[in-house]
Amino acid sequence: MKSRLTATIFLCLVLLPMAFATEWGQIEDVSFGVGSFTEHINQVQIDRAGSRNSFDLTPMLSANMEWAFNESFSLIPEFAITLPESGRDPNIKRFSYFFLADGAYKLKTESSGIIYFLAGGGLALKTLSSSGGSETLQNGTGTASFPLPDGSSTSRNLVLDFGIKYKSNYDFSVLGKGMVYNLSSSRNRSFSFMMGVNWHWDLFADARVKTNQRNRIKREEKDWIIKNK
Amino acid sequence: MDYKKQVALLLMLLSTQVWSFTFNNSVGASFENDEVRVDVSNQTCSQLGITQSELLSLAGEAVNIYWNSVHTSRLELTKGSIVSTSSLFRTDPICSGSLNPCIPNPDLIVPSGILIACNTNAANFASTAVLALTVPNNISGDKLNGALILINDNASNQFAGKSREEKISILAHEIGHAIGLGHSPVDDSLMFHLSIDTRQALGWDDIDGVTYLYPSEQPLGGCGSIENQNSKSGFLIGLLLTFFLGSSIRSFKFQRPRIA
C-alpha cells in the first residue's frame, strides 16, 4: 500500500509532466555539474562517542537538461552519480546514482539571474560490490575469519525531491536539493541532500530562435485570420 | 572567473569515506522474506533480572531503532511473541563441538525467523565477557531460514548490569548476526565486536551490510505490500492510466504557450 502510494506520487510528479513535455516546450539548455551528496542525514553514527552524521562530502557528478514550457515553468530531467569509493577494505566499492525529473518554477531576479524552485521525483540507486575474500576480526575472546561479499548488490528507491537553484548570467548555477526516501513509511523515512555547481551550455540556441520565429509567425497568422473573419 | 575559484575550493573539500562489512557465513545467506519475526523463548532468564516480556520488548526496540530504519533495505524485522521451546535451548551448547568453526546443534535448529533464548551452557560462554552468541543455524543454500540468539544467563553474566539502552544495542548487534552479518573492524558500527555504551544508531558498515543482503527494490518489488497484495498489476494499471490521462489531456486544444 505504501509502495503503491509512493509509486502513484512518483507517476504524477514525473511521468505526467514528461507526457506534456513531449508535446510542449523546448530544450532551454544542458548543464553538467559537480557537487556533494549527504545521505541518511542525522541517522548514522560516525564515531565512538555517538555523534551522528550531518554533512558529508561524497563527490558527485551530474548532467541535466532544462525543458522549458514557458518563461516560468520548466521540466528538468537529471542524472547524477557519486564517485565510486573504496572501503576500509579496498575490495569493497560503493556508489549511488539517480534518475530525477523536477518541475521548476522560475523567478527572474532584479540582478537578472534566475531562481528556480524545484520539486519532483525519481529513482535513487546504490550499488555495493566486492570481489570476495575474508577478513580476520576479533570475535568474542578470540579471532575469527569473516567472509567479505563476492559480487554486487543494488538497492532501488523511489525518492521525492525539492530544492532551489540560482542561475547567474555567467552560465553557471548553484543548487541545493533535498531528497525524501520512503515518504509514506514512518519506519525508514530518510532525508538526503545534494548540493553543487552546474555549468550550462545553451546548445539549442539556434533551434530555439527558429522555433520562436515559427511560433510567432503562426500566432500572427492566426491573429490575422481571426481579425479578418 | 570567480566560479573557478569556487570549484577549486569545492574540490579541496572533497573527502573519501570508507566502509567495510562482513558476513558470518561463506555464502552470504539472507532471509528470503522481507518480513522476519523475532521471537523469545519461554525458557526462564533467571540471572538477567528481566522477564521474557521485557526481553521481547527490548528486542522490539532493537529492531525498530536499528535495523528497521535503513531506507535502502527492504528487510522489516517484527517483534514476535514468547514461544514455547524445549528446555535444551536453555542448557545446550549452540554448536556441536567447537564454536569456531561451528556445526549447529541439531537440537536447537530454529525452523523460521529469529529466536532469542537465555542459556547457561559453559561451552557457549567460556568467559563472562561474552554477552551473547548467535548462529544462523538453519541455512539452505544461500537462503537463511532461522537463526538462534543465546543470551548469557550465567550468574556472573555482564548483560544484567548494562543500561537499558546498551541491552537494546547488544540485542541489535546479535540480531545483526542473525540476519547474516559478521563483524565490522570499526567502533562506530553496531557490528563492532565490543558493546559500547554510547551506541545510538547504525554505522555506515551496518547500513551497507544490510543494504547488500536486503536491497530495497522499489517501485515494483521488495516492499512486501506489493508482492503480498498482488498489487503489481495495480501499479501497471496505474502506469497505463497515467499515460492515458496524459494523452487525453494533450488531445485538448490548448493555446501553445509563448516562449521568450
PDB file of all heavy atoms in Angstrom, chain A residues 165-186:
ATOM      1  N   LYS A 165      17.586  26.563  -6.949  1.00  0.00           N
ATOM      2  CA  LYS A 165      18.774  26.750  -7.782  1.00  0.00           C
ATOM      3  C   LYS A 165      18.850  28.211  -8.191  1.00  0.00           C
ATOM      4  O   LYS A 165      17.818  28.830  -8.503  1.00  0.00           O
ATOM      5  CB  LYS A 165      18.661  25.841  -9.011  1.00  0.00           C
ATOM      6  CG  LYS A 165      19.812  25.973  -9.992  1.00  0.00           C
ATOM      7  CD  LYS A 165      19.792  24.848 -11.014  1.00  0.00           C
ATOM      8  CE  LYS A 165      18.920  25.154 -12.207  1.00  0.00           C
ATOM      9  NZ  LYS A 165      19.114  24.208 -13.322  1.00  0.00           N
ATOM     10  N   TYR A 166      20.019  28.743  -8.184  1.00  0.00           N
ATOM     11  CA  TYR A 166      20.197  30.114  -8.678  1.00  0.00           C
ATOM     12  C   TYR A 166      21.111  30.060  -9.890  1.00  0.00           C
ATOM     13  O   TYR A 166      22.251  29.595  -9.814  1.00  0.00           O
ATOM     14  CB  TYR A 166      20.807  31.010  -7.607  1.00  0.00           C
ATOM     15  CG  TYR A 166      21.123  32.398  -8.135  1.00  0.00           C
ATOM     16  CD1 TYR A 166      20.100  33.307  -8.383  1.00  0.00           C
ATOM     17  CD2 TYR A 166      22.433  32.788  -8.409  1.00  0.00           C
ATOM     18  CE1 TYR A 166      20.377  34.567  -8.889  1.00  0.00           C
ATOM     19  CE2 TYR A 166      22.716  34.047  -8.907  1.00  0.00           C
ATOM     20  CZ  TYR A 166      21.682  34.932  -9.154  1.00  0.00           C
ATOM     21  OH  TYR A 166      21.958  36.175  -9.662  1.00  0.00           O
ATOM     22  N   LYS A 167      20.587  30.535 -11.009  1.00  0.00           N
ATOM     23  CA  LYS A 167      21.373  30.555 -12.246  1.00  0.00           C
ATOM     24  C   LYS A 167      21.748  31.994 -12.534  1.00  0.00           C
ATOM     25  O   LYS A 167      20.883  32.864 -12.683  1.00  0.00           O
ATOM     26  CB  LYS A 167      20.550  29.967 -13.384  1.00  0.00           C
ATOM     27  CG  LYS A 167      21.312  29.863 -14.697  1.00  0.00           C
ATOM     28  CD  LYS A 167      20.395  29.288 -15.768  1.00  0.00           C
ATOM     29  CE  LYS A 167      21.058  29.299 -17.124  1.00  0.00           C
ATOM     30  NZ  LYS A 167      20.118  28.897 -18.180  1.00  0.00           N
ATOM     31  N   SER A 168      23.041  32.237 -12.612  1.00  0.00           N
ATOM     32  CA  SER A 168      23.506  33.602 -12.849  1.00  0.00           C
ATOM     33  C   SER A 168      23.579  33.879 -14.348  1.00  0.00           C
ATOM     34  O   SER A 168      23.255  33.025 -15.175  1.00  0.00           O
ATOM     35  CB  SER A 168      24.883  33.794 -12.229  1.00  0.00           C
ATOM     36  OG  SER A 168      25.852  33.186 -13.060  1.00  0.00           O
ATOM     37  N   ASN A 169      24.048  35.051 -14.682  1.00  0.00           N
ATOM     38  CA  ASN A 169      24.211  35.388 -16.091  1.00  0.00           C
ATOM     39  C   ASN A 169      25.468  34.788 -16.699  1.00  0.00           C
ATOM     40  O   ASN A 169      25.722  34.940 -17.867  1.00  0.00           O
ATOM     41  CB  ASN A 169      24.283  36.908 -16.249  1.00  0.00           C
ATOM     42  CG  ASN A 169      22.914  37.513 -16.071  1.00  0.00           C
ATOM     43  OD1 ASN A 169      21.913  36.862 -16.345  1.00  0.00           O
ATOM     44  ND2 ASN A 169      22.871  38.734 -15.582  1.00  0.00           N
ATOM     45  N   TYR A 170      26.285  34.169 -15.867  1.00  0.00           N
ATOM     46  CA  TYR A 170      27.572  33.670 -16.350  1.00  0.00           C
ATOM     47  C   TYR A 170      27.526  32.174 -16.662  1.00  0.00           C
ATOM     48  O   TYR A 170      28.522  31.475 -16.536  1.00  0.00           O
ATOM     49  CB  TYR A 170      28.653  33.968 -15.308  1.00  0.00           C
ATOM     50  CG  TYR A 170      28.818  35.442 -15.076  1.00  0.00           C
ATOM     51  CD1 TYR A 170      28.286  36.031 -13.938  1.00  0.00           C
ATOM     52  CD2 TYR A 170      29.488  36.241 -16.000  1.00  0.00           C
ATOM     53  CE1 TYR A 170      28.415  37.385 -13.728  1.00  0.00           C
ATOM     54  CE2 TYR A 170      29.614  37.601 -15.793  1.00  0.00           C
ATOM     55  CZ  TYR A 170      29.070  38.175 -14.654  1.00  0.00           C
ATOM     56  OH  TYR A 170      29.197  39.512 -14.455  1.00  0.00           O
ATOM     57  N   ASP A 171      26.379  31.700 -17.027  1.00  0.00           N
ATOM     58  CA  ASP A 171      26.227  30.311 -17.447  1.00  0.00           C
ATOM     59  C   ASP A 171      26.599  29.296 -16.371  1.00  0.00           C
ATOM     60  O   ASP A 171      27.072  28.206 -16.678  1.00  0.00           O
ATOM     61  CB  ASP A 171      27.042  30.031 -18.719  1.00  0.00           C
ATOM     62  CG  ASP A 171      26.443  30.740 -19.912  1.00  0.00           C
ATOM     63  OD1 ASP A 171      25.227  30.982 -19.886  1.00  0.00           O
ATOM     64  OD2 ASP A 171      27.188  31.051 -20.852  1.00  0.00           O
ATOM     65  N   PHE A 172      26.478  29.660 -15.143  1.00  0.00           N
ATOM     66  CA  PHE A 172      26.612  28.630 -14.122  1.00  0.00           C
ATOM     67  C   PHE A 172      25.537  28.838 -13.057  1.00  0.00           C
ATOM     68  O   PHE A 172      24.959  29.926 -12.930  1.00  0.00           O
ATOM     69  CB  PHE A 172      28.028  28.591 -13.522  1.00  0.00           C
ATOM     70  CG  PHE A 172      28.306  29.618 -12.483  1.00  0.00           C
ATOM     71  CD1 PHE A 172      28.161  29.315 -11.134  1.00  0.00           C
ATOM     72  CD2 PHE A 172      28.734  30.895 -12.834  1.00  0.00           C
ATOM     73  CE1 PHE A 172      28.426  30.252 -10.163  1.00  0.00           C
ATOM     74  CE2 PHE A 172      28.997  31.839 -11.858  1.00  0.00           C
ATOM     75  CZ  PHE A 172      28.843  31.523 -10.519  1.00  0.00           C
ATOM     76  N   SER A 173      25.270  27.793 -12.355  1.00  0.00           N
ATOM     77  CA  SER A 173      24.239  27.873 -11.318  1.00  0.00           C
ATOM     78  C   SER A 173      24.710  27.131 -10.076  1.00  0.00           C
ATOM     79  O   SER A 173      25.572  26.254 -10.157  1.00  0.00           O
ATOM     80  CB  SER A 173      22.927  27.268 -11.820  1.00  0.00           C
ATOM     81  OG  SER A 173      23.091  25.909 -12.111  1.00  0.00           O
ATOM     82  N   VAL A 174      24.162  27.510  -8.953  1.00  0.00           N
ATOM     83  CA  VAL A 174      24.399  26.773  -7.706  1.00  0.00           C
ATOM     84  C   VAL A 174      23.066  26.158  -7.276  1.00  0.00           C
ATOM     85  O   VAL A 174      22.001  26.746  -7.499  1.00  0.00           O
ATOM     86  CB  VAL A 174      24.966  27.671  -6.593  1.00  0.00           C
ATOM     87  CG1 VAL A 174      26.379  28.089  -6.901  1.00  0.00           C
ATOM     88  CG2 VAL A 174      24.086  28.879  -6.373  1.00  0.00           C
ATOM     89  N   LEU A 175      23.175  24.988  -6.698  1.00  0.00           N
ATOM     90  CA  LEU A 175      21.975  24.192  -6.464  1.00  0.00           C
ATOM     91  C   LEU A 175      22.021  23.519  -5.099  1.00  0.00           C
ATOM     92  O   LEU A 175      23.067  23.036  -4.677  1.00  0.00           O
ATOM     93  CB  LEU A 175      21.905  23.117  -7.566  1.00  0.00           C
ATOM     94  CG  LEU A 175      20.977  21.940  -7.380  1.00  0.00           C
ATOM     95  CD1 LEU A 175      19.561  22.344  -7.732  1.00  0.00           C
ATOM     96  CD2 LEU A 175      21.396  20.779  -8.264  1.00  0.00           C
ATOM     97  N   GLY A 176      20.907  23.510  -4.409  1.00  0.00           N
ATOM     98  CA  GLY A 176      20.756  22.710  -3.198  1.00  0.00           C
ATOM     99  C   GLY A 176      19.458  21.928  -3.312  1.00  0.00           C
ATOM    100  O   GLY A 176      18.419  22.488  -3.679  1.00  0.00           O
ATOM    101  N   LYS A 177      19.526  20.634  -3.029  1.00  0.00           N
ATOM    102  CA  LYS A 177      18.340  19.806  -3.247  1.00  0.00           C
ATOM    103  C   LYS A 177      18.210  18.761  -2.149  1.00  0.00           C
ATOM    104  O   LYS A 177      19.177  18.075  -1.812  1.00  0.00           O
ATOM    105  CB  LYS A 177      18.484  19.118  -4.608  1.00  0.00           C
ATOM    106  CG  LYS A 177      17.223  18.453  -5.116  1.00  0.00           C
ATOM    107  CD  LYS A 177      17.493  17.672  -6.363  1.00  0.00           C
ATOM    108  CE  LYS A 177      17.480  18.546  -7.605  1.00  0.00           C
ATOM    109  NZ  LYS A 177      17.518  17.734  -8.844  1.00  0.00           N
ATOM    110  N   GLY A 178      17.039  18.669  -1.563  1.00  0.00           N
ATOM    111  CA  GLY A 178      16.781  17.649  -0.556  1.00  0.00           C
ATOM    112  C   GLY A 178      16.011  16.493  -1.177  1.00  0.00           C
ATOM    113  O   GLY A 178      15.227  16.697  -2.105  1.00  0.00           O
ATOM    114  N   MET A 179      16.254  15.287  -0.679  1.00  0.00           N
ATOM    115  CA  MET A 179      15.533  14.115  -1.195  1.00  0.00           C
ATOM    116  C   MET A 179      14.901  13.348  -0.043  1.00  0.00           C
ATOM    117  O   MET A 179      15.545  13.151   0.989  1.00  0.00           O
ATOM    118  CB  MET A 179      16.482  13.200  -1.963  1.00  0.00           C
ATOM    119  CG  MET A 179      16.851  13.733  -3.330  1.00  0.00           C
ATOM    120  SD  MET A 179      17.627  12.484  -4.338  1.00  0.00           S
ATOM    121  CE  MET A 179      19.162  12.350  -3.512  1.00  0.00           C
ATOM    122  N   VAL A 180      13.673  12.939  -0.241  1.00  0.00           N
ATOM    123  CA  VAL A 180      12.974  12.151   0.776  1.00  0.00           C
ATOM    124  C   VAL A 180      12.832  10.723   0.272  1.00  0.00           C
ATOM    125  O   VAL A 180      12.264  10.491  -0.796  1.00  0.00           O
ATOM    126  CB  VAL A 180      11.569  12.714   1.067  1.00  0.00           C
ATOM    127  CG1 VAL A 180      10.944  11.979   2.246  1.00  0.00           C
ATOM    128  CG2 VAL A 180      11.629  14.203   1.329  1.00  0.00           C
ATOM    129  N   TYR A 181      13.360   9.790   1.031  1.00  0.00           N
ATOM    130  CA  TYR A 181      13.204   8.363   0.724  1.00  0.00           C
ATOM    131  C   TYR A 181      12.036   7.836   1.559  1.00  0.00           C
ATOM    132  O   TYR A 181      11.851   8.213   2.701  1.00  0.00           O
ATOM    133  CB  TYR A 181      14.450   7.582   1.139  1.00  0.00           C
ATOM    134  CG  TYR A 181      15.685   7.801   0.296  1.00  0.00           C
ATOM    135  CD1 TYR A 181      16.348   9.018   0.286  1.00  0.00           C
ATOM    136  CD2 TYR A 181      16.220   6.772  -0.466  1.00  0.00           C
ATOM    137  CE1 TYR A 181      17.491   9.209  -0.463  1.00  0.00           C
ATOM    138  CE2 TYR A 181      17.376   6.948  -1.218  1.00  0.00           C
ATOM    139  CZ  TYR A 181      18.002   8.166  -1.206  1.00  0.00           C
ATOM    140  OH  TYR A 181      19.140   8.345  -1.948  1.00  0.00           O
ATOM    141  N   ASN A 182      11.268   6.949   0.984  1.00  0.00           N
ATOM    142  CA  ASN A 182      10.195   6.257   1.708  1.00  0.00           C
ATOM    143  C   ASN A 182       9.276   7.234   2.437  1.00  0.00           C
ATOM    144  O   ASN A 182       9.083   7.142   3.655  1.00  0.00           O
ATOM    145  CB  ASN A 182      10.785   5.253   2.704  1.00  0.00           C
ATOM    146  CG  ASN A 182      11.735   4.283   2.045  1.00  0.00           C
ATOM    147  OD1 ASN A 182      11.509   3.855   0.921  1.00  0.00           O
ATOM    148  ND2 ASN A 182      12.804   3.941   2.714  1.00  0.00           N
ATOM    149  N   LEU A 183       8.741   8.168   1.678  1.00  0.00           N
ATOM    150  CA  LEU A 183       7.909   9.236   2.245  1.00  0.00           C
ATOM    151  C   LEU A 183       6.778   8.700   3.110  1.00  0.00           C
ATOM    152  O   LEU A 183       6.488   9.227   4.180  1.00  0.00           O
ATOM    153  CB  LEU A 183       7.327  10.087   1.103  1.00  0.00           C
ATOM    154  CG  LEU A 183       6.371  11.194   1.513  1.00  0.00           C
ATOM    155  CD1 LEU A 183       7.145  12.316   2.182  1.00  0.00           C
ATOM    156  CD2 LEU A 183       5.607  11.731   0.309  1.00  0.00           C
ATOM    157  N   SER A 184       6.158   7.638   2.641  1.00  0.00           N
ATOM    158  CA  SER A 184       4.966   7.155   3.329  1.00  0.00           C
ATOM    159  C   SER A 184       5.275   6.196   4.475  1.00  0.00           C
ATOM    160  O   SER A 184       4.373   5.693   5.129  1.00  0.00           O
ATOM    161  CB  SER A 184       4.036   6.473   2.321  1.00  0.00           C
ATOM    162  OG  SER A 184       4.728   5.431   1.679  1.00  0.00           O
ATOM    163  N   SER A 185       6.541   5.930   4.733  1.00  0.00           N
ATOM    164  CA  SER A 185       6.887   4.969   5.779  1.00  0.00           C
ATOM    165  C   SER A 185       7.542   5.660   6.968  1.00  0.00           C
ATOM    166  O   SER A 185       8.635   6.206   6.858  1.00  0.00           O
ATOM    167  CB  SER A 185       7.852   3.913   5.211  1.00  0.00           C
ATOM    168  OG  SER A 185       8.401   3.161   6.255  1.00  0.00           O
ATOM    169  N   SER A 186       6.874   5.619   8.104  1.00  0.00           N
ATOM    170  CA  SER A 186       7.487   6.214   9.296  1.00  0.00           C
ATOM    171  C   SER A 186       8.647   5.351   9.793  1.00  0.00           C
ATOM    172  O   SER A 186       9.500   5.793  10.543  1.00  0.00           O
ATOM    173  CB  SER A 186       6.440   6.362  10.397  1.00  0.00           C
ATOM    174  OG  SER A 186       5.902   5.097  10.705  1.00  0.00           O
TER     175      SER A 186
END
